[in-house]
Amino acid sequence: MAIRNVAVVGLGIGRGHIAEGYSAHPDKFRVEAICDLDSERLSAVGDDFVVPVRTNRFDEILAMPEIEVIDICTPPGVHLDQILAALAAGKQVICEKPLVGSLADLDRVAKAEAAAPGRVMPIFQYRYGDGLQKARRIVDAGIAGKHYLATVETAWNRGAKYYSVPWRGKLETEFGGVLLTHAIHSHDIMTYLLGPVASVFARTTTRVNPIEVEDCAVASLAMADGSLVSLAATLGSQVEISRLRFCFENVTFESGLKPYAPGDAPWQIIPASPEVAERIEGALADWDPVPSRFAGQLGRYHAALESGGPLPVTLDDARRSLELVTALFASAETGRTVELPIRPDHPKYADWRPQPKAVA
Ligand SMILES: NC(=O)c1ccc[n+]([C@@H]2O[C@H](COP(=O)([O-])OP(=O)(O)OC[C@H]3O[C@@H](n4cnc5c(N)ncnc54)[C@H](O)[C@@H]3O)[C@@H](O)[C@H]2O)c1
């Protein structure tokens, strides 16, 4: 098994990738280099994790032949250029959510990936952990039956300190608010279990913080399979929770309440009958624990690099999540139901942000 050399760029959540993810797999990854414009973060992370190369120049990372994987954890507006440059330099790429700021940019990344030796893995670490992964196995085994209805709540808390970081809270640099930056994880879990969305109706508002982007949102979704989903997301909850509940014909699943690890066990798995309970027991009989969050995603990433098989999270997954975001913003702006998929001729394909009103 090969140890893969990684460079982590951007040391906010990038520090978390190292502390929780790469450090959990010393036999699979070595963090050989870190890059950040902030020299205090560079020294602190470099010292804490004994990283040999520390630089504030991204081009220095691109030019290091010993680096195989570049893990991009910079603010969202920086992702596109860094992904394209890393692919052009022949690297494997990991990049934080939201991958890019529009479906048009996502398609540019997909085109660049198709022409490059490397592949791009978006981060959706909330998928990992034994709770959601068991639910996914039960669904994949065909035991769950018809899906009826799901509810997805993202009730978090963000205040002035969080929004004192200059790129946050602004349409220009964050591209969106609670729907794009925070609830994107639970909404990814929802489509990971249920598949494509057919149409959405959304309302958004900004009530918690004095910011440009939305911090409260609700939406009503019709899924391609005919079932219904309700989404609710706020940054003004005094107790932080993420909670997902899925009612299928043969089983109901409910996540725990951990705001930042909704994939973790235990999930309530409530079968409709003793026969279903038996089938579920059989499907889970040889269960191997799936580590939570970054450790889970990066473990599976390493396995995919070794086998050349599909990445655990792909550009198609990023597209599905950004397509939902685009539809939600388009609906909230127009007050209309929006159908998916969103194609290049859709007015929000190139930019989902509200357009400034024309001055008369
Ligand atoms: N998956 C998750 O749970 C999770 C959690 C937090 C943030 N994020 C995402 O990660 C990204 C970063 O968020 P954050 O909260 O860590 O932000 P942050 O502002 O705390 O950290 C970003 C870092 O990137 C550095 N940086 C900026 N431009 C750079 C450049 N050109 N080259 C090198 N370094 C540069 C900054 O100096 C800063 O230290 C965002 O896309 C955010 O949405 C994901």
Side-chain angles (χ1 to χ4, degrees), residues 41-331:
R41 276 190 163 173
L42 208 51
S43 326
V45 174
D47 291 350
D48 286 353
F49 299 98
V50 199
V51 184
V53 178
R54 306 156 190 198
T55 176
N56 55 17
R57 288 185 35 216
F58 183 63
D59 56 354
E60 205 175 303
I61 300 285
L62 294 175
M64 288 175 67
E66 65 273 38
I67 296 296
E68 179 181 2
V69 180
I70 299 189
D71 181 356
I72 298 168
C73 303
T74 47
V78 184
H79 294 175
L80 177 66
D81 288 350
Q82 289 189 336
I83 294 170
L84 295 178
L87 283 173
K91 306 298 187 187
Q92 302 290 347
V93 182
I94 298 174
C95 183
E96 264 296 349
K97 43 56 53 172
L99 194 77
V100 286
S102 69
L103 287 171
D105 286 349
L106 194 279
D107 284 343
R108 284 181 67 190
V109 172
K111 209 167 150 197
E113 187 198 49
R119 294 185 285 173
V120 181
M121 181 180 73
I123 287 287
F124 274 131
Q125 85 274 18
Y126 287 41
R127 288 183 179 189
Y128 298 92
D130 286 330
L132 172 62
Q133 289 298 323
K134 283 185 179 173
R136 171 75 189 233
R137 181 177 290 183
I138 293 163
V139 170
D140 284 350
I143 299 169
K146 191 169 158 188
H147 182 250
Y148 299 149
L149 179 134
T151 52
V152 182
E153 293 164 79
T154 307
W156 293 5
N157 193 297
R158 294 291 183 276
K161 184 160 178 271
Y162 179 83
Y163 283 108
S164 66
V165 173
W167 66 264
R168 294 192 183 130
K170 302 187 180 84
L171 280 168
E172 177 74 22
T173 44
E174 194 177 354
F175 302 120
V178 67
L179 286 173
L180 180 69
T181 302
H182 309 94
I184 195 168
H185 290 288
S186 288
H187 299 170
D188 169 68
I189 291 178
M190 183 275 293
T191 52
Y192 179 64
L193 274 192
L194 301 182
V197 179
S199 72
V200 312
F201 180 85
R203 294 180 199 276
T204 61
T205 185
T206 306
R207 296 178 70 76
V208 184
N209 286 283
I211 51 177
E212 287 174 16
V213 296
E214 85 289 351
D215 56 22
C216 295
V218 291
S220 160
L221 276 52
M223 304 302 286
D225 68 4
S227 68
L228 301 178
V229 174
S230 155
L231 308 178
T234 180
L235 298 180
S237 176
Q238 294 314 320
V239 175
E240 291 194 303
I241 62 154
S242 298
R243 173 165 47 199
L244 299 100
R245 176 172 247 268
F246 297 92
C247 299
F248 287 85
E249 182 180 5
N250 297 328
V251 59
T252 293
F253 299 113
E254 185 163 329
S255 72
L257 298 179
K258 284 184 187 172
Y260 305 124
D264 277 11
W267 274 38
Q268 287 189 61
I269 300 176
I270 306 159
S273 66
E275 293 71 35
V276 173
E278 208 170 299
R279 288 179 71 198
I280 290 175
E281 211 179 299
L284 301 178
D286 62 345
W287 188 256
D288 274 333
V290 178
S292 182
R293 289 172 44 97
F294 297 124
Q297 183 168 353
L298 291 172
R300 290 200 176 175
Y301 178 61
H302 189 276
L305 290 180
E306 292 280 294
S307 68
L311 297 176
V313 183
T314 64
L315 284 183
D316 284 345
D317 295 323
R319 161 168 265 291
R320 193 171 53 182
S321 104
L322 295 186
E323 193 173 49
L324 175 57
V325 159
T326 306
L328 293 169
F329 286 144
S331 173

Side-chain angles (χ1 to χ4, degrees), residues 1-6 22 24-30 68 295 298-303 305-306:
M1 185 168 70
I3 295 191
R4 312 283 171 162
N5 281 337
V6 180
Y22 299 115
H25 297 291
D27 54 333
K28 301 188 181 76
F29 298 102
R30 184 182 305 118
E68 179 181 2
L298 291 172
R300 290 200 176 175
Y301 178 61
H302 189 276
L305 290 180
E306 292 280 294

